[in-house]
Amino acid sequence: PMRKRSAVLLGVSLVLGAFNADAREPSEKDRRAVLEARTRLINAMASDDLEALFAVLTTDHVTMPPDGPSMSNSKELRAWHEQRISAYAISGNWTSEDLQLQGDWAIDSWRGLTILTSRGGGSRIEMMTKGVWFWRRGPDGTWKLARSIWNGDSQGARAVQR
């Protein structure tokens, strides 16, 4: 029994050691690269540039918007963005409150003001939002957004007359 237990512990240690061997210690260069990818994402959203937006997403990206179904990096997600672009211009400030890096993953907890301006001349919607963006470093070393989750704060949105 003791010999078997030791063999199991040794096996588990070897597996965990091999897993952790691939995890690189994040550097300041990694942190800057994630923040640069984050800036490209925000600029693409603000300029309604779908090609630039999708270039920052992983091929298996999943968006989880509030009060709606999850969408993967697909025709469905593209149609969702096209519908938003036709109805609203988006702007705001989404500030990273905490950026944690571990190996090839970065977790970006953010908060900010989201402003949706109606393209049809209606009221502007302002809402405090918060979310988490999960970034993943690809084999080529570039950081892309793998998961996007966000929601509004409890006060909800408020319409602002122009």
Side-chain angles (χ1 to χ4, degrees):
M2 184 63 135
R3 185 180 272 178
K4 185 175 182 181
R5 184 174 170 190
S6 296
V8 169
L9 288 174
L10 177 62
V12 168
S13 296
L14 290 173
V15 168
L16 291 176
F19 176 76
N20 287 330
D22 289 339
R24 293 185 284 179
E25 200 54 39
S27 67
E28 189 55 35
K29 180 180 174 185
D30 292 327
R31 183 174 295 283
R32 280 193 312 271
V34 171
L35 293 174
E36 288 167 8
R38 186 182 200 286
T39 298
R40 286 193 305 276
L41 172 73
I42 291 169
N43 290 342
M45 287 191 307
S47 65
D48 298 331
D49 186 342
L50 284 182
E51 298 314 311
L53 174 65
F54 277 77
V56 181
L57 306 181
T58 61
T59 57
D60 63 344
H61 171 83
V62 177
T63 288
M64 296 174 228
D67 303 322
S70 296
M71 293 169 279
S72 60
N73 189 352
S74 64
K75 291 178 188 174
E76 181 184 29
L77 181 58
R78 183 173 287 274
W80 184 82
H81 278 289
E82 287 170 347
Q83 183 178 12
R84 191 265 313 155
I85 288 168
S86 69
Y88 298 100
I90 191 168
S91 62
N93 62 353
W94 303 285
T95 304
S96 182
E97 291 188 328
D98 185 37
L99 179 60
Q100 298 288 322
L101 285 90
Q102 177 62 43
D104 290 335
W105 286 91
I107 302 169
D108 179 9
S109 300
W110 58 267
R111 178 176 300 280
L113 174 66
T114 299
I115 301 168
L116 298 172
T117 303
S118 173
R119 295 195 191 273
S123 297
R124 187 172 80 177
I125 300 168
E126 295 182 0
M127 63 189 123
M128 293 305 297
T129 50
K130 59 192 172 289
V132 180
W133 289 336
F134 295 84
W135 299 90
R136 184 171 61 221
R137 180 181 17 229
D140 64 354
T142 62
W143 289 89
K144 293 191 175 190
L145 188 61
R147 300 291 183 272
S148 177
I149 306 165
W150 76 97
N151 207 336
D153 279 343
S154 62
Q155 296 93 357
R158 65 182 172 100
V160 177
Q161 298 298 322
R162 295 192 210 201

